[in-house]
mmCIF file of all heavy atoms in Angstrom:
data_model
loop_
_atom_site.group_PDB
_atom_site.id
_atom_site.type_symbol
_atom_site.label_atom_id
_atom_site.label_comp_id
_atom_site.label_asym_id
_atom_site.label_seq_id
_atom_site.Cartn_x
_atom_site.Cartn_y
_atom_site.Cartn_z
ATOM 1 N N MET A 15 -6.862 -16.215 -28.319
ATOM 2 C CA MET A 15 -6.638 -16.549 -26.921
ATOM 3 C C MET A 15 -5.444 -15.748 -26.373
ATOM 4 O O MET A 15 -5.529 -15.197 -25.279
ATOM 5 C CB MET A 15 -6.390 -18.055 -26.804
ATOM 6 C CG MET A 15 -6.271 -18.529 -25.416
ATOM 7 S SD MET A 15 -7.851 -18.460 -24.602
ATOM 8 C CE MET A 15 -7.827 -19.964 -23.744
ATOM 9 N N VAL A 16 -4.364 -15.711 -27.112
ATOM 10 C CA VAL A 16 -3.177 -14.980 -26.677
ATOM 11 C C VAL A 16 -3.465 -13.485 -26.631
ATOM 12 O O VAL A 16 -3.037 -12.788 -25.702
ATOM 13 C CB VAL A 16 -1.982 -15.292 -27.617
ATOM 14 C CG1 VAL A 16 -0.794 -14.426 -27.279
ATOM 15 C CG2 VAL A 16 -1.617 -16.763 -27.524
ATOM 16 N N CYS A 17 -4.209 -13.001 -27.592
ATOM 17 C CA CYS A 17 -4.554 -11.576 -27.634
ATOM 18 C C CYS A 17 -5.418 -11.189 -26.427
ATOM 19 O O CYS A 17 -5.202 -10.141 -25.813
ATOM 20 C CB CYS A 17 -5.273 -11.254 -28.942
ATOM 21 S SG CYS A 17 -5.609 -9.500 -29.138
ATOM 22 N N ALA A 18 -6.360 -12.020 -26.065
ATOM 23 C CA ALA A 18 -7.210 -11.745 -24.909
ATOM 24 C C ALA A 18 -6.391 -11.745 -23.621
ATOM 25 O O ALA A 18 -6.602 -10.905 -22.741
ATOM 26 C CB ALA A 18 -8.327 -12.769 -24.830
ATOM 27 N N ALA A 19 -5.460 -12.661 -23.508
ATOM 28 C CA ALA A 19 -4.595 -12.706 -22.329
ATOM 29 C C ALA A 19 -3.713 -11.459 -22.257
ATOM 30 O O ALA A 19 -3.534 -10.871 -21.184
ATOM 31 C CB ALA A 19 -3.737 -13.961 -22.351
ATOM 32 N N PHE A 20 -3.174 -11.052 -23.380
ATOM 33 C CA PHE A 20 -2.326 -9.860 -23.427
ATOM 34 C C PHE A 20 -3.130 -8.616 -23.055
ATOM 35 O O PHE A 20 -2.653 -7.773 -22.279
ATOM 36 C CB PHE A 20 -1.702 -9.713 -24.816
ATOM 37 C CG PHE A 20 -0.819 -8.501 -24.940
ATOM 38 C CD1 PHE A 20 0.417 -8.479 -24.329
ATOM 39 C CD2 PHE A 20 -1.239 -7.391 -25.650
ATOM 40 C CE1 PHE A 20 1.232 -7.362 -24.430
ATOM 41 C CE2 PHE A 20 -0.435 -6.278 -25.757
ATOM 42 C CZ PHE A 20 0.808 -6.254 -25.143
ATOM 43 N N ILE A 21 -4.330 -8.496 -23.582
ATOM 44 C CA ILE A 21 -5.170 -7.338 -23.277
ATOM 45 C C ILE A 21 -5.538 -7.312 -21.789
ATOM 46 O O ILE A 21 -5.530 -6.253 -21.158
ATOM 47 C CB ILE A 21 -6.423 -7.321 -24.175
ATOM 48 C CG1 ILE A 21 -6.012 -7.001 -25.611
ATOM 49 C CG2 ILE A 21 -7.461 -6.326 -23.679
ATOM 50 C CD1 ILE A 21 -7.124 -7.124 -26.615
ATOM 51 N N SER A 22 -5.831 -8.469 -21.209
ATOM 52 C CA SER A 22 -6.163 -8.502 -19.786
ATOM 53 C C SER A 22 -4.962 -8.131 -18.922
ATOM 54 O O SER A 22 -5.113 -7.469 -17.891
ATOM 55 C CB SER A 22 -6.716 -9.866 -19.392
ATOM 56 O OG SER A 22 -5.719 -10.857 -19.530
ATOM 57 N N ILE A 23 -3.762 -8.506 -19.336
ATOM 58 C CA ILE A 23 -2.550 -8.120 -18.610
ATOM 59 C C ILE A 23 -2.343 -6.620 -18.686
ATOM 60 O O ILE A 23 -2.020 -5.963 -17.692
ATOM 61 C CB ILE A 23 -1.321 -8.892 -19.138
ATOM 62 C CG1 ILE A 23 -1.416 -10.351 -18.746
ATOM 63 C CG2 ILE A 23 -0.026 -8.282 -18.618
ATOM 64 C CD1 ILE A 23 -0.370 -11.236 -19.397
ATOM 65 N N VAL A 24 -2.544 -6.043 -19.858
ATOM 66 C CA VAL A 24 -2.381 -4.601 -20.036
ATOM 67 C C VAL A 24 -3.405 -3.841 -19.191
ATOM 68 O O VAL A 24 -3.075 -2.850 -18.536
ATOM 69 C CB VAL A 24 -2.491 -4.219 -21.531
ATOM 70 C CG1 VAL A 24 -2.590 -2.718 -21.708
ATOM 71 C CG2 VAL A 24 -1.300 -4.769 -22.303
ATOM 72 N N VAL A 25 -4.637 -4.312 -19.177
ATOM 73 C CA VAL A 25 -5.674 -3.656 -18.370
ATOM 74 C C VAL A 25 -5.341 -3.763 -16.881
ATOM 75 O O VAL A 25 -5.488 -2.787 -16.130
ATOM 76 C CB VAL A 25 -7.061 -4.261 -18.685
ATOM 77 C CG1 VAL A 25 -8.099 -3.802 -17.681
ATOM 78 C CG2 VAL A 25 -7.487 -3.903 -20.096
ATOM 79 N N ALA A 26 -4.888 -4.927 -16.426
ATOM 80 C CA ALA A 26 -4.532 -5.106 -15.020
ATOM 81 C C ALA A 26 -3.356 -4.213 -14.631
ATOM 82 O O ALA A 26 -3.356 -3.609 -13.554
ATOM 83 C CB ALA A 26 -4.204 -6.571 -14.747
ATOM 84 N N LEU A 27 -2.356 -4.101 -15.500
ATOM 85 C CA LEU A 27 -1.228 -3.226 -15.212
ATOM 86 C C LEU A 27 -1.652 -1.766 -15.188
ATOM 87 O O LEU A 27 -1.149 -0.967 -14.389
ATOM 88 C CB LEU A 27 -0.102 -3.450 -16.229
ATOM 89 C CG LEU A 27 0.659 -4.757 -16.074
ATOM 90 C CD1 LEU A 27 1.661 -4.911 -17.220
ATOM 91 C CD2 LEU A 27 1.363 -4.833 -14.742
ATOM 92 N N GLY A 28 -2.587 -1.404 -16.055
ATOM 93 C CA GLY A 28 -3.118 -0.042 -16.037
ATOM 94 C C GLY A 28 -3.856 0.267 -14.750
ATOM 95 O O GLY A 28 -3.717 1.349 -14.172
ATOM 96 N N ALA A 29 -4.636 -0.685 -14.261
ATOM 97 C CA ALA A 29 -5.347 -0.496 -12.992
ATOM 98 C C ALA A 29 -4.370 -0.398 -11.825
ATOM 99 O O ALA A 29 -4.546 0.420 -10.914
ATOM 100 C CB ALA A 29 -6.323 -1.641 -12.774
ATOM 101 N N LEU A 30 -3.320 -1.218 -11.855
ATOM 102 C CA LEU A 30 -2.298 -1.158 -10.812
ATOM 103 C C LEU A 30 -1.583 0.184 -10.837
ATOM 104 O O LEU A 30 -1.318 0.792 -9.802
ATOM 105 C CB LEU A 30 -1.309 -2.305 -10.988
ATOM 106 C CG LEU A 30 -0.194 -2.420 -9.963
ATOM 107 C CD1 LEU A 30 -0.767 -2.646 -8.568
ATOM 108 C CD2 LEU A 30 0.747 -3.538 -10.333
ATOM 109 N N TRP A 31 -1.276 0.677 -12.026
ATOM 110 C CA TRP A 31 -0.608 1.970 -12.171
ATOM 111 C C TRP A 31 -1.479 3.096 -11.614
ATOM 112 O O TRP A 31 -0.993 3.981 -10.913
ATOM 113 C CB TRP A 31 -0.281 2.221 -13.639
ATOM 114 C CG TRP A 31 0.392 3.534 -13.855
ATOM 115 C CD1 TRP A 31 -0.174 4.677 -14.328
ATOM 116 C CD2 TRP A 31 1.760 3.845 -13.592
ATOM 117 N NE1 TRP A 31 0.753 5.661 -14.374
ATOM 118 C CE2 TRP A 31 1.953 5.191 -13.930
ATOM 119 C CE3 TRP A 31 2.829 3.106 -13.101
ATOM 120 C CZ2 TRP A 31 3.179 5.816 -13.779
ATOM 121 C CZ3 TRP A 31 4.045 3.740 -12.970
ATOM 122 C CH2 TRP A 31 4.208 5.072 -13.303
ATOM 123 N N GLN A 32 -2.778 3.048 -11.897
ATOM 124 C CA GLN A 32 -3.680 4.070 -11.386
ATOM 125 C C GLN A 32 -3.763 4.021 -9.860
ATOM 126 O O GLN A 32 -3.830 5.061 -9.202
ATOM 127 C CB GLN A 32 -5.080 3.894 -11.986
ATOM 128 C CG GLN A 32 -5.156 4.267 -13.451
ATOM 129 C CD GLN A 32 -4.879 5.748 -13.680
ATOM 130 O OE1 GLN A 32 -5.274 6.590 -12.890
ATOM 131 N NE2 GLN A 32 -4.185 6.037 -14.750
ATOM 132 N N ALA A 33 -3.756 2.828 -9.295
ATOM 133 C CA ALA A 33 -3.791 2.694 -7.838
ATOM 134 C C ALA A 33 -2.513 3.247 -7.214
ATOM 135 O O ALA A 33 -2.551 3.893 -6.159
ATOM 136 C CB ALA A 33 -3.985 1.236 -7.448
ATOM 137 N N LEU A 34 -1.381 3.005 -7.846
ATOM 138 C CA LEU A 34 -0.115 3.525 -7.336
ATOM 139 C C LEU A 34 -0.064 5.040 -7.446
ATOM 140 O O LEU A 34 0.403 5.724 -6.535
ATOM 141 C CB LEU A 34 1.062 2.902 -8.091
ATOM 142 C CG LEU A 34 1.356 1.447 -7.758
ATOM 143 C CD1 LEU A 34 2.397 0.893 -8.722
ATOM 144 C CD2 LEU A 34 1.830 1.313 -6.329
ATOM 145 N N GLN A 35 -0.536 5.591 -8.550
ATOM 146 C CA GLN A 35 -0.529 7.036 -8.742
ATOM 147 C C GLN A 35 -1.501 7.737 -7.791
ATOM 148 O O GLN A 35 -1.257 8.854 -7.366
ATOM 149 C CB GLN A 35 -0.887 7.385 -10.190
ATOM 150 C CG GLN A 35 0.201 7.059 -11.183
ATOM 151 C CD GLN A 35 1.446 7.896 -10.940
ATOM 152 O OE1 GLN A 35 1.384 9.050 -10.582
ATOM 153 N NE2 GLN A 35 2.598 7.278 -11.140
ATOM 154 N N GLY A 36 -2.602 7.095 -7.477
ATOM 155 C CA GLY A 36 -3.592 7.677 -6.590
ATOM 156 C C GLY A 36 -3.227 7.583 -5.122
ATOM 157 O O GLY A 36 -3.889 8.177 -4.277
ATOM 158 N N GLY A 37 -2.198 6.839 -4.786
ATOM 159 C CA GLY A 37 -1.756 6.713 -3.405
ATOM 160 C C GLY A 37 -2.575 5.725 -2.597
ATOM 161 O O GLY A 37 -2.589 5.797 -1.367
ATOM 162 N N LEU A 38 -3.249 4.820 -3.252
ATOM 163 C CA LEU A 38 -4.101 3.864 -2.550
ATOM 164 C C LEU A 38 -3.293 2.985 -1.594
ATOM 165 O O LEU A 38 -3.682 2.788 -0.442
ATOM 166 C CB LEU A 38 -4.851 2.989 -3.556
ATOM 167 C CG LEU A 38 -5.789 1.944 -2.988
ATOM 168 C CD1 LEU A 38 -6.951 2.630 -2.275
ATOM 169 C CD2 LEU A 38 -6.311 1.041 -4.080
ATOM 170 N N PHE A 39 -2.146 2.494 -2.042
ATOM 171 C CA PHE A 39 -1.338 1.609 -1.211
ATOM 172 C C PHE A 39 -0.712 2.369 -0.038
ATOM 173 O O PHE A 39 -0.598 1.838 1.064
ATOM 174 C CB PHE A 39 -0.258 0.925 -2.042
ATOM 175 C CG PHE A 39 -0.814 0.008 -3.085
ATOM 176 C CD1 PHE A 39 -0.621 0.252 -4.431
ATOM 177 C CD2 PHE A 39 -1.565 -1.090 -2.722
ATOM 178 C CE1 PHE A 39 -1.143 -0.592 -5.390
ATOM 179 C CE2 PHE A 39 -2.097 -1.946 -3.674
ATOM 180 C CZ PHE A 39 -1.874 -1.687 -5.011
ATOM 181 N N VAL A 40 -0.343 3.612 -0.263
ATOM 182 C CA VAL A 40 0.221 4.429 0.813
ATOM 183 C C VAL A 40 -0.850 4.706 1.867
ATOM 184 O O VAL A 40 -0.576 4.643 3.064
ATOM 185 C CB VAL A 40 0.799 5.747 0.248
ATOM 186 C CG1 VAL A 40 1.243 6.677 1.372
ATOM 187 C CG2 VAL A 40 1.950 5.459 -0.686
ATOM 188 N N ASP A 41 -2.073 4.996 1.422
ATOM 189 C CA ASP A 41 -3.167 5.228 2.361
ATOM 190 C C ASP A 41 -3.434 3.995 3.221
ATOM 191 O O ASP A 41 -3.643 4.108 4.431
ATOM 192 C CB ASP A 41 -4.444 5.621 1.618
ATOM 193 C CG ASP A 41 -4.361 7.003 0.998
ATOM 194 O OD1 ASP A 41 -3.504 7.800 1.439
ATOM 195 O OD2 ASP A 41 -5.149 7.273 0.073
ATOM 196 N N HIS A 42 -3.414 2.833 2.601
ATOM 197 C CA HIS A 42 -3.630 1.595 3.360
ATOM 198 C C HIS A 42 -2.490 1.349 4.341
ATOM 199 O O HIS A 42 -2.720 0.910 5.472
ATOM 200 C CB HIS A 42 -3.784 0.396 2.427
ATOM 201 C CG HIS A 42 -5.116 0.314 1.766
ATOM 202 N ND1 HIS A 42 -6.282 0.123 2.453
ATOM 203 C CD2 HIS A 42 -5.467 0.413 0.461
ATOM 204 C CE1 HIS A 42 -7.302 0.100 1.613
ATOM 205 N NE2 HIS A 42 -6.828 0.279 0.399
ATOM 206 N N ALA A 43 -1.268 1.624 3.927
ATOM 207 C CA ALA A 43 -0.118 1.428 4.814
ATOM 208 C C ALA A 43 -0.182 2.375 6.008
ATOM 209 O O ALA A 43 0.088 1.978 7.147
ATOM 210 C CB ALA A 43 1.182 1.632 4.043
ATOM 211 N N LEU A 44 -0.554 3.622 5.766
ATOM 212 C CA LEU A 44 -0.660 4.582 6.865
ATOM 213 C C LEU A 44 -1.799 4.222 7.813
ATOM 214 O O LEU A 44 -1.671 4.352 9.030
ATOM 215 C CB LEU A 44 -0.871 5.990 6.316
ATOM 216 C CG LEU A 44 0.339 6.617 5.630
ATOM 217 C CD1 LEU A 44 -0.037 7.953 5.018
ATOM 218 C CD2 LEU A 44 1.484 6.770 6.600
ATOM 219 N N ALA A 45 -2.900 3.764 7.269
ATOM 220 C CA ALA A 45 -4.024 3.368 8.116
ATOM 221 C C ALA A 45 -3.647 2.158 8.972
ATOM 222 O O ALA A 45 -3.974 2.103 10.160
ATOM 223 C CB ALA A 45 -5.242 3.059 7.261
ATOM 224 N N SER A 46 -2.941 1.210 8.390
ATOM 225 C CA SER A 46 -2.524 0.024 9.147
ATOM 226 C C SER A 46 -1.504 0.389 10.216
ATOM 227 O O SER A 46 -1.555 -0.120 11.336
ATOM 228 C CB SER A 46 -1.923 -1.017 8.208
ATOM 229 O OG SER A 46 -2.881 -1.460 7.293
ATOM 230 N N ALA A 47 -0.581 1.276 9.886
ATOM 231 C CA ALA A 47 0.441 1.669 10.851
ATOM 232 C C ALA A 47 -0.173 2.425 12.018
ATOM 233 O O ALA A 47 0.219 2.241 13.161
ATOM 234 C CB ALA A 47 1.509 2.514 10.169
ATOM 235 N N SER A 48 -1.149 3.286 11.746
ATOM 236 C CA SER A 48 -1.744 4.064 12.836
ATOM 237 C C SER A 48 -2.515 3.148 13.778
ATOM 238 O O SER A 48 -2.527 3.373 14.984
ATOM 239 C CB SER A 48 -2.658 5.149 12.273
ATOM 240 O OG SER A 48 -3.795 4.590 11.650
ATOM 241 N N HIS A 49 -3.166 2.112 13.262
ATOM 242 C CA HIS A 49 -3.869 1.178 14.132
ATOM 243 C C HIS A 49 -2.878 0.376 14.967
ATOM 244 O O HIS A 49 -3.145 0.057 16.117
ATOM 245 C CB HIS A 49 -4.751 0.217 13.327
ATOM 246 C CG HIS A 49 -5.922 0.891 12.703
ATOM 247 N ND1 HIS A 49 -6.953 1.423 13.432
ATOM 248 C CD2 HIS A 49 -6.222 1.138 11.409
ATOM 249 C CE1 HIS A 49 -7.835 1.953 12.619
ATOM 250 N NE2 HIS A 49 -7.418 1.801 11.390
ATOM 251 N N HIS A 50 -1.748 0.061 14.392
ATOM 252 C CA HIS A 50 -0.743 -0.704 15.128
ATOM 253 C C HIS A 50 -0.104 0.158 16.217
ATOM 254 O O HIS A 50 0.130 -0.307 17.326
ATOM 255 C CB HIS A 50 0.335 -1.223 14.178
ATOM 256 C CG HIS A 50 1.435 -1.947 14.877
ATOM 257 N ND1 HIS A 50 1.259 -3.186 15.447
ATOM 258 C CD2 HIS A 50 2.720 -1.606 15.136
ATOM 259 C CE1 HIS A 50 2.379 -3.572 16.014
ATOM 260 N NE2 HIS A 50 3.279 -2.627 15.842
ATOM 261 N N LEU A 51 0.176 1.406 15.905
ATOM 262 C CA LEU A 51 0.872 2.268 16.855
ATOM 263 C C LEU A 51 -0.025 2.722 17.998
ATOM 264 O O LEU A 51 0.478 3.154 19.030
ATOM 265 C CB LEU A 51 1.456 3.490 16.131
ATOM 266 C CG LEU A 51 2.608 3.172 15.189
ATOM 267 C CD1 LEU A 51 3.057 4.431 14.470
ATOM 268 C CD2 LEU A 51 3.780 2.565 15.938
ATOM 269 N N GLN A 52 -1.328 2.620 17.865
ATOM 270 C CA GLN A 52 -2.213 2.995 18.957
ATOM 271 C C GLN A 52 -2.073 2.033 20.132
ATOM 272 O O GLN A 52 -2.276 2.412 21.271
ATOM 273 C CB GLN A 52 -3.667 3.020 18.484
ATOM 274 C CG GLN A 52 -3.969 4.184 17.577
ATOM 275 C CD GLN A 52 -5.381 4.126 17.035
ATOM 276 O OE1 GLN A 52 -6.088 3.138 17.233
ATOM 277 N NE2 GLN A 52 -5.787 5.159 16.334
ATOM 278 N N SER A 53 -1.702 0.790 19.843
ATOM 279 C CA SER A 53 -1.593 -0.199 20.912
ATOM 280 C C SER A 53 -0.206 -0.223 21.556
ATOM 281 O O SER A 53 0.001 -0.932 22.527
ATOM 282 C CB SER A 53 -1.928 -1.588 20.362
ATOM 283 O OG SER A 53 -0.972 -1.969 19.398
ATOM 284 N N VAL A 54 0.738 0.547 21.034
ATOM 285 C CA VAL A 54 2.090 0.565 21.594
ATOM 286 C C VAL A 54 2.097 1.441 22.839
ATOM 287 O O VAL A 54 1.589 2.558 22.839
ATOM 288 C CB VAL A 54 3.098 1.112 20.553
ATOM 289 C CG1 VAL A 54 4.465 1.261 21.175
ATOM 290 C CG2 VAL A 54 3.158 0.192 19.366
ATOM 291 N N SER A 55 2.684 0.926 23.901
ATOM 292 C CA SER A 55 2.738 1.704 25.143
ATOM 293 C C SER A 55 3.784 2.806 25.030
ATOM 294 O O SER A 55 4.700 2.752 24.216
ATOM 295 C CB SER A 55 3.065 0.780 26.313
ATOM 296 O OG SER A 55 4.347 0.206 26.120
ATOM 297 N N ALA A 56 3.653 3.804 25.886
ATOM 298 C CA ALA A 56 4.589 4.912 25.892
ATOM 299 C C ALA A 56 5.929 4.435 26.444
ATOM 300 O O ALA A 56 6.043 3.408 27.095
ATOM 301 C CB ALA A 56 4.042 6.033 26.752
ATOM 302 N N GLY A 57 6.932 5.215 26.157
ATOM 303 C CA GLY A 57 8.262 4.877 26.662
ATOM 304 C C GLY A 57 9.207 4.530 25.528
ATOM 305 O O GLY A 57 9.036 4.965 24.391
ATOM 306 N N ALA A 58 10.200 3.731 25.838
ATOM 307 C CA ALA A 58 11.250 3.407 24.870
ATOM 308 C C ALA A 58 10.700 2.599 23.699
ATOM 309 O O ALA A 58 11.102 2.824 22.554
ATOM 310 C CB ALA A 58 12.367 2.628 25.548
ATOM 311 N N VAL A 59 9.771 1.699 23.959
ATOM 312 C CA VAL A 59 9.211 0.889 22.880
ATOM 313 C C VAL A 59 8.428 1.764 21.924
ATOM 314 O O VAL A 59 8.533 1.639 20.708
ATOM 315 C CB VAL A 59 8.310 -0.241 23.444
ATOM 316 C CG1 VAL A 59 7.631 -1.002 22.332
ATOM 317 C CG2 VAL A 59 9.122 -1.165 24.321
ATOM 318 N N GLY A 60 7.669 2.705 22.456
ATOM 319 C CA GLY A 60 6.919 3.636 21.614
ATOM 320 C C GLY A 60 7.844 4.510 20.791
ATOM 321 O O GLY A 60 7.566 4.791 19.626
ATOM 322 N N ASP A 61 8.955 4.946 21.390
ATOM 323 C CA ASP A 61 9.906 5.749 20.650
ATOM 324 C C ASP A 61 10.530 4.993 19.493
ATOM 325 O O ASP A 61 10.747 5.537 18.421
ATOM 326 C CB ASP A 61 11.022 6.241 21.584
ATOM 327 C CG ASP A 61 10.541 7.284 22.564
ATOM 328 O OD1 ASP A 61 9.497 7.896 22.289
ATOM 329 O OD2 ASP A 61 11.214 7.482 23.597
ATOM 330 N N VAL A 62 10.793 3.696 19.677
ATOM 331 C CA VAL A 62 11.369 2.885 18.616
ATOM 332 C C VAL A 62 10.393 2.765 17.454
ATOM 333 O O VAL A 62 10.761 2.935 16.302
ATOM 334 C CB VAL A 62 11.778 1.493 19.145
ATOM 335 C CG1 VAL A 62 12.104 0.555 18.007
ATOM 336 C CG2 VAL A 62 12.936 1.605 20.101
ATOM 337 N N PHE A 63 9.110 2.492 17.763
ATOM 338 C CA PHE A 63 8.127 2.321 16.699
ATOM 339 C C PHE A 63 7.814 3.652 16.012
ATOM 340 O O PHE A 63 7.499 3.680 14.831
ATOM 341 C CB PHE A 63 6.848 1.703 17.229
ATOM 342 C CG PHE A 63 6.932 0.217 17.408
ATOM 343 C CD1 PHE A 63 6.810 -0.352 18.658
ATOM 344 C CD2 PHE A 63 7.134 -0.613 16.310
ATOM 345 C CE1 PHE A 63 6.890 -1.705 18.820
ATOM 346 C CE2 PHE A 63 7.228 -1.973 16.470
ATOM 347 C CZ PHE A 63 7.104 -2.528 17.723
ATOM 348 N N LEU A 64 7.855 4.750 16.729
ATOM 349 C CA LEU A 64 7.521 6.042 16.141
ATOM 350 C C LEU A 64 8.695 6.668 15.416
ATOM 351 O O LEU A 64 8.522 7.645 14.710
ATOM 352 C CB LEU A 64 6.994 6.980 17.226
ATOM 353 C CG LEU A 64 5.648 6.563 17.816
ATOM 354 C CD1 LEU A 64 5.292 7.455 18.986
ATOM 355 C CD2 LEU A 64 4.565 6.608 16.767
ATOM 356 N N TYR A 65 9.894 6.144 15.600
ATOM 357 C CA TYR A 65 11.052 6.704 14.914
ATOM 358 C C TYR A 65 10.997 6.293 13.480
ATOM 359 O O TYR A 65 11.147 6.842 12.541
ATOM 360 C CB TYR A 65 12.346 6.223 15.539
ATOM 361 C CG TYR A 65 13.561 6.775 14.872
ATOM 362 C CD1 TYR A 65 13.879 8.109 15.020
ATOM 363 C CD2 TYR A 65 14.385 5.994 14.089
ATOM 364 C CE1 TYR A 65 14.992 8.642 14.400
ATOM 365 C CE2 TYR A 65 15.500 6.511 13.480
ATOM 366 C CZ TYR A 65 15.801 7.844 13.634
ATOM 367 O OH TYR A 65 16.897 8.354 13.024
#
């Protein structure tokens, strides 16, 4: 039981490491930010968000 739990933790950490190395989380963050910034109006507020 302990061995199976340990192996599943190692596999999950390996999958997380591969996702981090592949830039998956960065891609999601950039996609979310671009959708958010499309709704920001021009002017000082837009400059703050784009800085």
Side-chain angles (χ1 to χ4, degrees):
M15 185 70 138
V16 173
C17 185
F20 180 73
I21 290 173
S22 66
I23 290 171
V24 169
V25 169
L27 288 175
L30 182 61
W31 179 258
Q32 289 296 323
L34 287 171
Q35 288 295 323
L38 180 66
F39 295 116
V40 173
D41 290 340
H42 283 296
L44 289 175
S46 297
S48 67
H49 291 293
H50 177 71
L51 291 177
Q52 288 175 353
S53 64
V54 174
S55 63
V59 175
D61 290 340
V62 168
F63 280 117
L64 293 173
Y65 180 71

